[in-house]
Amino acid sequence: MEQGIFQILYTLAIDAIIFSILFILFLATYRHRTRHTENTVENFKPKNAIFSESEIPKCKLFRDVWNTSPKEIRDKCGFFAYVYLSLHRQIIIFLTVLSIFITPALVPIYFQGSGISGEDTNAESIGNVLDDEKYMIAPIIYFVFFSCLAYWLVYIILKSVSPTESYIYERVIEIGGLDKNKQPQEIGPEVHKTFTGQFQEEIMETCVVSDYTNSYIAYQEINKAKERVEHFKIVESQDKKKGEIRVKMCGKKVNAVEHYTKEIEKFQDQFEQHIEEGNVKNTGFAFVVCKSREAAEKVKEEYKDSKSWSVDSAPAPHEVKWENMNYNQTTIKIRRAILLAIFIVIFFVFLTPTAFVRYINDAVSNADAGDYVKGIFDTYLPTLLLIIYQAVVVYHAIIFVVKQEKHIDVAAEVVSRMVKYLLFFAFYIFILQAFGMQVVVQVSTDGWDSARTLFPNKIAETGLFFTIFMIHQAGISMGVALWQPGVIIVSKIKQKLAKTPLEKMQALDNPDFDFSYEIAITLNNFFIIMCYSVAYPLILVIGLIYFVLRYLIHKYLLLSTFYINKSSTGAAIPKAYIYSIMSYIFIFQLLTGFIFTINDSVGIQVTGGVLIIVSFIIYLVVMLKLPTVMKLVWKTGKYVSENENESESLKMESGLYMHPIEKMQMTSRGPKETLQDKHTESLNSNDNED
C-alpha cells in the first residue's frame, strides 16, 4: 500500500474514534448548555435559539432540525443563516459531482504513471504522470470540466443568496461626508432639499445624525457601572463577603461599590458635559428614507461617483455602531492601514504558523518525551496545531484589530473580519504550504528545470498534508463544534458568578454565531479542496465528508445552540465571498496550468500556457462584469417572506435612524426634563438606597 494512502487511512481511523468520543460527550451534555428563558428584566430581550435543547426530547429535536427547510431557516433565522447554509449545500453538490466523476477516474490513471525521472513521488498525485504524455490528457480534460462546473457553482450561489428581501431598511440610503461643522438643524433641511429637488416625492424623510457620540459612550459606561454596583451590593448582603476589586493589575484592592459609584459620578459628569454637542454638531452622516427600493437604487446610482458625499445602502438601525459615527473618515482609513501593517508584521513575520509549530516542536524535543511520542508529533500533530492556531490565536487577534478599526455598522465589521481571515488563511495555510520557500530558492539557484523534479514532489507532499488537514477538520474540529465545551464552561461560570437579575438572564443567553469566522473557514477549506482536486484527487472525497458533517452540525447549532439575529440584512456578505470564490477558481487554474507547463511534452506545455491565458481573460471579464451580473440575477430572484409585508406603502417609524440619545431626549416625561435630570435622579436614588 502506498505510504500516502496508509497515512490517510490511519488518520481517518484515529479521527473517527476521536469524533465518536466527542459525539458521546455531546449526547451526555447538550441538555445542560442552553435553554429558553422568559424575559423578567425590563428592557432586556433574552437571546434564545429557535429550538430548546433542554426542553425538546432528543429524537424530536434532531428530527425537527433535519426537517427544517431552507425557506423555514430564512424565515426563522434570517438572511445570514440562510446564506451560510446555502453556501454549504451548493458546495456539497459540487464536491459530490467531482467525487463521482474525477476521483475514480484520475487516481487509477495516476497510479499507472512512472514518476519523474525515478524520483519518489506519491503515486496517487499528478506528479506520478508528468513524464507520461498520454496520461496527462486526463487531467487537462478534467481541468476544463472542473472550471465549467465551478463557474456554474458561482451562478447557483448567486441565485440562492439574493439579498433582495422585503426588509424595510432597503429603502434607506446612508450618506457620508457631510459638513460636520454645521448644526443638525441647519444641514438637515439642506440635504433633504437637495434630494427632494432631484427626486421629488420619492424622498420621504432625511435624518442627519446628531453628534451625541461622547454622551452615548458615557451613558453606556454609566449603565455598566450601575450594574456592577448592584452586583457587589448583593455580594455584600447575601454572601456576607466584602466586595473588592483590583483596579490596576498590580495595585491594591479597593471597595467595589465605592469604586463603581465614583465611576458613575465621573461618567455622569462626562455625559452632562457632552450632551449639548448633539445640538451644535453632526457626525457627518445622514440617512435618507426613500419611498421604494427602486427609488433607493436610483439615488445610489445617481450619486455613486460623487466626490463630496459617499452614498451606500443603510444598515438596519440596530446594526449601527453609534459610538463610532463621529470619527473622521480620513483618520479612520489611516488608522486601519496602520493596524493592518502591525498585524502583518506580527503574524506574517514573528508569529507565523511555521514559527508557532516550531515553538511547540522545540518544547517537545527539549522535553523528556519518548521516541514514540515524538514520532506521533512529527506525523500527526503539525496539522492539528495549525487548526488550533487558526481557531484561537488568529481568531482573537483579528477580533481585536477589527474592533480598533471603528466601523460604523455591524455588517462592515463582519466583512472586515471575514476578509482578514480569508487573506491570512489563504496565504499561510494554503499558498505558503503549496509553493514553499524551498521551491522558490531552488528555482532561483538551479534554474527553471529544477522545478520539474521539485514541484511535483511538493504538490504530492502538500496534497497529502492538506488531505490529512481536512480529515482533522472533519473529525476533530467538527466534533468539538458539535460538543461546544466552551459554551458549556462559559455558561456555567456566568451562572455561578451572576448576582443581579440581569446577570442571571444574560448567563442563560444563547451565544452569538460568528458568521465572519465560519464563512472564512468554509471558503478557505473549499479553496484548499478546489486547488488540489486535480493534482491530488483523493482530497475531494475527504472534502465531501467534511462539508456534509459541517452542514449537518452547523444547521443543528444555528437552530438549537446559537442565537441568530434574524433581522440582519447582510447584503455585503454574499458579495464578499462570491468575489473570493471567483479568485479561488482562478488560483486553481493558475496552479494546475503551471503543473502542465513543466511537462516534457511541448504540446502539454503549450496547452497549459493557453489554459492559463484563457482562464486569466475569463477571470478579468467576469470580475469586471460581476457587479452588473449580481444586480441582474438578484433583480429577477426576489424572495418573498411569509413574515414580511411586500407593499411598497410600508410606513417607516418616524425617527428610526435618530441617535438613541436624541430619541431618549424626545421621549422624556416632559419638555423640560432632560437626560441629565433623569440620570441625576437615578443617581440620587442609588445614594438613598445606601
Side-chain angles (χ1 to χ4, degrees):
M1 183 184 293
E2 279 291 322
Q3 183 181 0
I5 294 179
F6 174 78
Q7 289 185 37
I8 291 171
L9 294 176
Y10 173 78
T11 307
L12 273 171
I14 296 294
D15 281 19
I17 295 171
I18 295 173
F19 182 83
S20 300
I21 294 171
L22 292 171
F23 184 75
I24 292 170
L25 289 171
F26 157 72
L27 292 177
T29 59
Y30 79 99
R31 285 188 173 278
H32 305 288
R33 59 189 187 185
T34 63
R35 70 180 185 188
H36 279 192
T37 56
E38 297 295 332
N39 187 12
T40 57
V41 178
E42 187 180 358
N43 297 325
F44 175 76
K45 181 182 177 182
K47 293 183 175 181
N48 292 327
I50 303 301
F51 301 128
S52 174
E53 290 183 309
S54 60
E55 298 170 4
I56 303 176
K58 178 172 56 180
C59 293
K60 185 180 185 306
L61 176 62
F62 295 162
R63 188 167 56 249
D64 288 345
V65 170
W66 177 266
N67 292 332
T68 303
S69 68
K71 188 174 184 299
E72 289 175 315
I73 288 173
R74 192 162 192 164
D75 288 333
K76 292 178 178 179
C77 300
F79 186 67
F80 270 11
Y82 173 79
V83 164
Y84 180 71
L85 292 178
S86 292
L87 176 63
H88 283 74
R89 285 195 302 274
Q90 306 305 335
I91 290 175
I92 289 170
I93 295 171
F94 179 76
L95 293 178
T96 301
V97 174
L98 294 180
S99 298
I100 292 172
F101 290 102
I102 289 186
T103 306
L106 287 186
V107 172
I109 291 174
Y110 291 166
F111 267 102
Q112 296 178 48
S114 56
I116 296 291
S117 305
E119 292 287 331
D120 182 22
T121 56
N122 288 344
E124 68 276 11
S125 76
I126 196 173
N128 205 48
V129 297
L130 275 181
D131 267 349
D132 303 295
E133 183 178 353
K134 60 181 178 180
Y135 293 134
M136 285 298 295
I137 302 298
I140 290 174
I141 293 172
Y142 283 106
F143 173 97
V144 177
F145 173 73
F146 177 95
S147 299
C148 295
L149 195 65
Y151 290 133
W152 170 84
L153 173 68
V154 172
Y155 175 73
I156 295 300
I157 291 176
L158 203 57
K159 285 189 66 176
S160 66
V161 298
S162 167
T164 52
E165 288 216 40
S166 55
Y167 290 116
I168 197 169
Y169 316 126
E170 291 180 1
R171 300 194 280 114
V172 185
I173 304 298
E174 177 189 278
I175 308 294
L178 303 181
D179 186 352
K180 298 173 71 172
N181 295 319
K182 291 187 176 181
Q183 295 184 6
Q185 298 86 347
E186 177 187 358
I187 196 170
E190 292 179 8
V191 175
H192 188 71
K193 186 177 180 180
T194 300
F195 284 105
T196 53
Q198 202 167 354
F199 302 99
Q200 299 174 354
E201 294 182 357
E202 291 183 327
I203 304 300
M204 296 176 61
E205 180 184 356
T206 301
C207 179
V208 173
V209 182
S210 301
D211 191 3
Y212 290 105
T213 306
N214 293 323
S215 295
Y216 181 72
I217 294 172
Y219 177 71
Q220 289 180 311
E221 294 298 330
I222 289 170
N223 288 334
K224 291 178 185 176
K226 285 181 179 179
E227 188 64 28
R228 300 312 293 160
V229 167
E230 185 180 355
H231 172 92
F232 283 105
K233 281 183 177 180
I234 294 174
V235 169
E236 291 179 354
S237 62
Q238 293 183 358
D239 300 346
K240 306 301 180 184
K241 290 165 58 177
K242 192 175 181 181
E244 292 183 329
I245 59 167
R246 202 182 301 275
V247 180
K248 297 180 180 179
M249 187 175 293
C250 299
K252 294 182 179 179
K253 288 186 176 181
V254 298
N255 183 279
V257 174
E258 293 178 0
H259 169 75
Y260 285 113
T261 301
K262 290 178 181 178
E263 288 288 292
I264 293 173
E265 294 173 355
K266 180 180 76 173
F267 288 113
Q268 177 68 33
D269 290 340
Q270 291 181 14
F271 180 89
E272 293 174 357
Q273 289 171 10
H274 295 293
I275 191 66
E276 290 302 321
E277 291 177 359
N279 297 325
V280 297
K281 293 167 60 180
N282 73 86
T283 59
F285 286 94
F287 295 100
V288 179
V289 182
C290 302
K291 194 173 182 180
S292 65
R293 290 191 294 270
E294 287 71 19
E297 289 297 324
K298 192 184 298 183
V299 173
K300 284 193 294 183
E301 185 66 26
E302 182 69 25
Y303 281 87
K304 67 178 181 180
D305 298 322
S306 174
K307 294 181 180 179
S308 54
W309 291 348
S310 62
V311 179
D312 204 353
S313 299
H318 63 271
E319 292 183 339
V320 177
K321 308 282 286 186
W322 301 103
E323 64 273 21
N324 295 336
M325 293 205 73
N326 72 334
Y327 283 94
N328 182 282
Q329 293 306 299
T330 302
T331 305
I332 285 296
K333 289 177 182 177
I334 296 172
R335 180 194 188 107
R336 290 171 187 170
I338 294 172
L339 286 168
L340 182 61
I342 294 172
F343 177 79
I344 289 173
V345 168
I346 293 175
F347 284 93
F348 283 70
V349 179
F350 296 110
L351 194 58
T352 65
T354 306
F356 179 74
V357 173
R358 187 175 65 249
Y359 297 149
I360 306 297
N361 192 18
D362 290 344
V364 173
S365 299
N366 295 331
D368 239 354
D371 293 338
Y372 180 72
V373 174
K374 293 179 180 179
I376 291 177
F377 181 88
D378 291 337
T379 58
Y380 188 81
L381 288 187
T383 50
L384 188 58
L385 287 172
L386 200 57
I387 295 173
I388 296 172
Y389 179 81
Q390 75 174 20
V392 179
V393 180
V394 177
Y395 174 74
H396 289 288
I398 289 178
I399 285 179
F400 174 78
V401 169
V402 172
K403 187 176 180 180
Q404 307 310 310
E405 290 179 344
K406 305 299 180 184
H407 292 279
I408 63 170
D409 65 82
V410 174
E413 280 192 346
V414 171
V415 172
S416 179
R417 286 203 304 267
M418 188 177 76
V419 169
K420 287 177 175 60
Y421 290 135
L422 286 172
L423 288 174
F424 186 85
F425 294 158
F427 181 80
Y428 261 124
I429 295 181
F430 170 71
I431 295 175
L432 199 62
Q433 286 285 345
F435 294 97
M437 290 307 296
Q438 180 187 2
V439 176
V440 176
V441 171
Q442 184 155 339
V443 169
S444 62
T445 55
D446 299 339
W448 187 252
D449 289 340
S450 63
R452 289 202 63 257
T453 56
L454 187 60
F455 195 73
N457 282 315
K458 188 65 179 176
I459 284 293
E461 176 189 324
T462 53
L464 176 61
F465 174 87
F466 282 120
T467 301
I468 291 175
F469 175 79
M470 293 310 305
I471 294 172
H472 289 331
Q473 290 277 30
I476 300 175
S477 293
M478 288 297 95
V480 172
L482 181 62
W483 180 27
Q484 290 291 327
V487 171
I488 300 171
I489 293 170
V490 170
S491 177
K492 295 302 179 185
I493 291 174
K494 284 184 176 180
Q495 290 177 46
K496 185 174 180 60
L497 297 177
K499 300 296 180 182
T500 70
L502 179 60
E503 288 174 343
K504 291 177 180 179
M505 290 293 295
Q506 290 174 334
L508 298 174
D509 273 348
N510 290 60
D512 294 308
F513 190 83
D514 191 344
F515 284 104
S516 61
Y517 175 76
E518 295 299 346
I519 288 177
I521 292 293
T522 298
L523 292 178
N524 181 69
N525 290 339
F526 180 51
F527 178 34
I528 292 171
I529 296 164
M530 187 165 32
C531 287
Y532 282 96
S533 59
V534 173
Y536 202 88
L538 286 175
I539 200 171
L540 287 169
V541 178
I542 303 301
L544 177 60
I545 294 171
Y546 165 72
F547 272 102
V548 169
L549 281 174
R550 185 174 178 86
Y551 173 75
L552 294 175
I553 289 172
H554 280 210
K555 183 181 180 182
Y556 174 85
L557 294 176
L558 287 169
L559 289 168
S560 306
T561 306
F562 287 89
Y563 168 75
I564 311 298
N565 188 342
K566 65 164 291 184
S567 59
S568 296
T569 54
I573 304 300
K575 291 180 184 178
Y577 73 64
I578 286 169
Y579 277 105
S580 299
I581 292 175
M582 283 302 306
S583 299
Y584 292 168
I585 293 171
F586 175 66
I587 293 175
F588 154 78
Q589 294 166 333
L590 184 64
L591 174 66
T592 312
F594 173 75
I595 295 174
F596 296 153
T597 62
I598 61 175
N599 186 269
D600 257 348
S601 169
V602 176
I604 301 295
Q605 290 177 6
V606 171
T607 302
V610 170
L611 289 174
I612 291 175
I613 294 171
V614 172
S615 300
F616 181 65
I617 293 172
I618 294 174
Y619 173 71
L620 281 181
V621 172
V622 172
M623 293 296 277
L624 289 172
K625 298 293 183 182
L626 200 53
T628 305
V629 173
M630 284 181 181
K631 286 183 180 179
L632 289 174
V633 173
W634 288 343
K635 191 174 182 180
T636 59
K638 290 184 179 179
Y639 169 78
V640 180
S641 170
E642 294 177 356
N643 300 327
E644 299 286 348
N645 185 350
E646 278 292 305
S647 171
E648 292 296 346
S649 62
L650 280 170
K651 298 296 182 184
M652 182 169 288
E653 176 190 342
S654 179
L656 198 61
Y657 283 89
M658 186 182 293
H659 197 287
I661 298 296
E662 186 175 6
K663 193 178 293 187
M664 288 170 59
Q665 284 184 306
M666 293 185 66
T667 56
S668 298
R669 289 194 297 263
K672 293 185 179 180
E673 184 189 39
T674 64
L675 284 176
Q676 295 100 308
D677 298 328
K678 292 175 71 175
H679 286 302
T680 304
E681 180 180 285
S682 177
L683 189 61
N684 291 336
S685 68
N686 284 337
D687 294 337
N688 292 335
E689 288 176 8
D690 293 341

